[in-house]
Amino acid sequence: SGTGTNAKIILDNDSLGSVSATGWVSKTNLPASIGGGNDVGALAYVAPDHIYSTADATKGFWRYTISTNQWDIMASTSANWAWGDALTVVGTSTIYAFKGASTGFWKYTISSNTWSSVASSSDGVGNGASLATVGSDTIYALIGGSTVGFWKYTISTDSWTHLASTTASIGSGGALVAADSDTLYALRGDGFNSFYKYTISTDTWSSLTNTPTTRSSGGSLVFIDSNTLYASRGWGTPTIWKYNISSPGWSYMASTTYNITTSGSMVSVG
């Protein structure tokens, strides 16, 4: 997530691409293939020049430098990533991560290239788990796994708080993104086309215009600017949509070069 005019997407093999006004452009492949039915893969953008990526069902962690179009292998995690892995950035110094398929929750310190454990999530996460940062002290989390679990993690107290459950269960392709200090958007995934808005100040969910078709594994959602969200359908398709916030509705964007499957992930850069 983040703001900007370019979106990056990871596909279900070893590919990275970027999209601009002229369409999709291939970038340097990942250090190794991802996916293979593992439903593992997450990206995080750290301004101004890096994208971090989980490395399939392994302990691997990678960093992509935008200006040089190259990948580096970073410090490994203490356990393998699994389905439901997720990343979110706090400022430019820290990444927080769901390990996936467990209650494991980690902190990555960028300056020292080190991992540490923080308070575990109260529920084990599954497919469709997603994280979104609001401000410097709060992370919101969809638990996924075809559940309605929704939580808030407070960094300063290293603690979790249960919030209002989602309107319906969140599964494969579920996604969460912060738009401002009071608004989150979420996609249900799991073979549905449901789209929701969460208002932080009232701890309430509301339903919005559904995506044009159903979504599942590999689907993502990113905040582009104050009026625009991008979403990928996933589910073995190249489909990308744009959502207009001020005049609610979805439109189709240029399709990706390759189909987006189980390990698809997208971030906004800039």
Side-chain angles (χ1 to χ4, degrees), residues 59 61 75-79 81 86-88 93-99 103-121 131 139 153 155 158 160:
K59 298 177 183 179
F61 191 56
S76 297
T77 55
S78 58
W81 300 103
L87 301 174
T88 192
S93 63
T94 311
I95 297 172
Y96 286 83
F98 274 149
K99 170 194 174 296
T103 61
F105 189 55
W106 297 328
K107 173 184 175 180
Y108 175 77
T109 303
I110 293 171
S111 60
S112 59
N113 186 30
T114 56
W115 289 95
S116 56
S117 294
V118 287
S120 298
S121 60
L131 297 167
I139 297 170
Y153 173 75
I155 297 170
D158 189 26
W160 290 90

Side-chain angles (χ1 to χ4, degrees), residues 9 17 20 34 67 79 99 147 149 155 164 179 182 198 210-211 234 243 248 251 261 266:
I9 193 160
S20 64
I34 63 171
S67 59
K99 170 194 174 296
T147 73
I155 297 170
D182 195 42
Y198 175 76
N210 289 345
T211 57
Y243 180 76
S251 56
T261 53
M266 185 163 58

Side-chain angles (χ1 to χ4, degrees), residues 55-72:
D56 205 28
T58 71
K59 298 177 183 179
F61 191 56
W62 304 321
R63 184 185 69 186
Y64 175 77
T65 302
I66 298 168
S67 59
T68 61
N69 189 29
Q70 70 179 35
W71 289 92
D72 294 297

Side-chain angles (χ1 to χ4, degrees), residues 233-259:
R233 183 187 180 198
W235 225 355
T237 74
T239 303
I240 302 291
W241 300 307
K242 180 174 73 172
Y243 180 76
N244 187 301
I245 295 172
S246 61
S247 300
W250 294 93
S251 56
Y252 282 82
M253 304 298 289
S255 295
T256 55
T257 308
Y258 302 100
N259 290 335

